Amino acid sequence: MKTAFITGITGQDGSYLAEHLLHQGYKVVGMMRRTATPSTERIEGVLDQIEIAHGDLLDQSSLMRLFDEHKPDEIYNLAAQSFVHASFYEPIHTGEVTGLGVARILEAMRLVVPEARFYQASSSEMFGKVSESPQKESTPFHPRSPYGVAKVYAHWATVNYRESYDLFCCSGILFNHESPRRGLEFVTRKISEGVAAIAFGQQEDIALGNLDARRDWGFAGDYVEAMHLMLQQDTPEDFVVATGETHSVRDFCDIAFARVGLDYEKFVKIDPRFYRPAEVDLLLGDPSLAKEKLNWTPSTPFKELVHLMVDSDVSRRLDEGRTLQAGELPPSLRG
Ligand code: NAP
Ligand code: GDD
């Protein structure tokens, strides 16, 4: 039985990847940092099937100790300070975790388990101010946030450990991917949760920033499959993972509000606090290489993704736990 070691196990992707790898027959070890209130909500369903290991990307010795203890065959580095907006206010911390943290884990792998295979959670945010569309593996990087800068460092560290030491290191350049487990601070979940709260009379409006930003949004459950496939190749390589479609934040609002029979224009307020010092205006990925070499394709269209997220936030509120059906409004909206 192969052992997979996942950092960021408590996050959105960590939870989906753990489920996927358990299905594939792996032993899963998930790394958690010590916090005053442990955040195991997303992995409640699999906690009894995985092993939790305590460590931190800020602490090199913890990574070396854990690799020595668990001897992983595959290492998925999903841990990061992942919120772009926060990175403008905590640039040093973001650099330490999201950037240098990757050098720490690569060095721990080189010294303790050099035969392991390594996946780095790289990001479309590295393309930033894009020089071509769609963006592919060869598109130059021009990051626009401390987060993006840290991810570029981490990406090149991953490529360098492959080239310098012949380690099996892959960088997955993933475009935005969402789900009902998405953190509440990210725009998609902020909207889906806000729509549900408004539908139930618990909130009056949603304050957002730039509605014209465009992203290539896919479903997280699909994207973790691509991570696994990358580590099953004969040779390590980097891949863009995306849907090949782009939509604006405004489009997301429109579909999300329409799902509960409301017009977004009446409920969305613009608040300058949610603008960023520098914006990434447009992301659109070209997943051709992943399709060709990994045989990976996304299976969740944009509208379906928006509905999935709104329905989840609505159904959590429904007494009976029923999922909202199209055309059936939550009780508070019924005449
Ligand atoms: P997420 O939900 O924010 O999860 C981040 C994880 O990192 C959490 O488990 C968090 O633990 C952990 N973490 C933070 N600081 C840590 C530290 N110092 N040591 C150890 N663990 C630490 O992020 P996600 O959406 O699942 O994304 C997973 C990865 O993919 C991240 O690296 C992200 O930057 C990258 N990525 C995401 C997307 C996307 O659209 N979702 C796209 C491209 C790349 P706590 O629970 O303790 O905070
Ligand atoms: N969060 C947030 N909140 N974003 C807003 C808001 C708001 O109120 N209003 C507008 N936006 C816009 C942002 O300015 C941005 O252009 C877009 O919505 C998406 O923001 P986020 O959902 O915070 O995601 P992100 O694209 O900045 O970053 C995510 O995707 C990256 C991949 O491209 C994160 O998951 C990163 O970790 C990931 O690497």
Side-chain angles (χ1 to χ4, degrees):
M1 182 189 272
K2 280 205 243 177
T3 299
F5 186 94
I6 305 176
T7 71
I9 189 76
T10 57
Q12 170 188 260
D13 291 6
S15 68
Y16 281 106
L17 181 62
E19 288 167 14
H20 181 62
L21 295 180
L22 285 170
H23 267 110
Q24 306 284 321
Y26 280 73
K27 175 186 174 191
V28 174
V29 179
M31 190 182 88
M32 260 179 81
R33 57 179 170 162
R34 194 263 162 194
T35 51
T37 311
S39 53
T40 51
E41 199 182 321
R42 295 184 178 100
I43 48 171
E44 288 302 335
V46 293
L47 258 184
D48 58 345
Q49 297 166 62
I50 65 178
E51 193 169 328
I52 293 293
H54 289 277
D56 198 308
L57 279 195
L58 296 174
D59 186 328
Q60 169 99 42
S61 70
S62 69
L63 303 170
M64 296 184 68
R65 175 179 53 78
L66 291 176
F67 288 170
D68 190 41
E69 204 173 309
H70 296 284
K71 305 274 185 312
D73 299 289
E74 296 175 9
I75 300 166
Y76 295 86
N77 181 42
L78 309 185
Q81 190 303 92
S82 73
F83 188 30
V84 173
H85 191 76
S87 77
F88 287 101
Y89 303 100
E90 296 181 359
I92 313 299
H93 174 74
T94 303
E96 283 286 358
V97 179
T98 306
L100 267 185
V102 182
R104 291 189 190 97
I105 197 166
L106 283 165
E107 192 58 7
M109 170 173 151
R110 182 179 77 84
L111 293 171
V112 184
V113 281
E115 297 306 319
R117 296 182 169 209
F118 179 81
Y119 173 85
Q120 165 57 15
S122 285
S123 165
S124 50
E125 187 71 14
M126 301 189 302
F127 296 123
K129 194 172 164 64
V130 300
S131 55
E132 63 177 352
S133 270
Q135 296 85 53
K136 47 186 186 284
E137 291 77 6
S138 56
T139 302
F141 299 139
H142 185 150
R144 298 270 281 170
S145 62
Y147 169 85
V149 171
K151 283 288 183 186
V152 170
Y153 172 87
H155 172 82
W156 283 116
T158 304
V159 172
N160 270 261
Y161 270 69
R162 180 169 76 218
E163 293 176 353
S164 307
Y165 304 116
D166 207 19
L167 300 185
F168 196 108
C169 298
C170 299
S171 177
I173 307 175
L174 270 54
F175 283 62
N176 298 51
H177 45 280
E178 319 293 313
S179 74
R181 299 182 200 168
R182 187 59 143 150
L184 287 163
E185 66 274 43
F186 299 96
V187 76
T188 55
R189 185 73 199 292
K190 185 174 171 182
I191 297 168
S192 67
E193 171 65 13
V195 163
I198 289 169
F200 280 82
Q202 298 166 318
Q203 191 173 312
E204 289 189 348
D205 50 43
I206 310 180
L208 296 175
N210 181 10
L211 298 189
D212 296 317
R214 300 183 74 86
R215 291 290 182 276
D216 180 329
W217 277 298
F219 173 54
D222 294 339
Y223 285 37
V224 298
E225 293 180 16
M227 297 176 186
H228 175 244
L229 288 169
M230 277 179 225
L231 296 200
Q232 312 316 309
Q233 299 300 293
D234 291 336
T235 48
E237 207 177 336
D238 307 325
F239 291 90
V240 157
V241 178
T243 69
E245 266 185 43
T246 186
H247 299 273
S248 66
V249 174
R250 192 184 301 281
D251 295 338
F252 197 103
C253 289
D254 191 13
I255 297 173
F257 275 92
R259 183 65 167 168
V260 296
L262 299 176
D263 175 359
Y264 84 92
E265 295 197 62
K266 295 192 178 123
F267 298 95
V268 171
K269 303 247 155 66
I270 301 302
D271 185 333
R273 282 183 305 147
F274 298 111
Y275 278 90
R276 297 172 180 181
E279 178 63 289
V280 171
D281 297 316
L282 162 80
L283 290 176
L284 171 62
D286 175 358
S288 307
L289 190 69
K291 278 184 187 158
E292 181 198 321
K293 291 201 170 169
L294 304 177
N295 197 21
W296 178 88
T297 45
S299 69
T300 316
F302 179 65
K303 194 169 178 183
E304 200 177 296
L305 173 67
V306 181
H307 287 176
L308 178 74
M309 294 179 71
V310 172
D311 290 2
S312 165
D313 285 320
V314 165
S315 68
R316 199 160 24 82
R317 287 172 164 79
L318 288 171
D319 287 343
E320 314 83 7
R322 283 184 300 124
T323 302
L324 180 71
Q325 301 298 304
E328 180 197 2
L329 299 177
S332 64
L333 289 180
R334 290 187 201 139

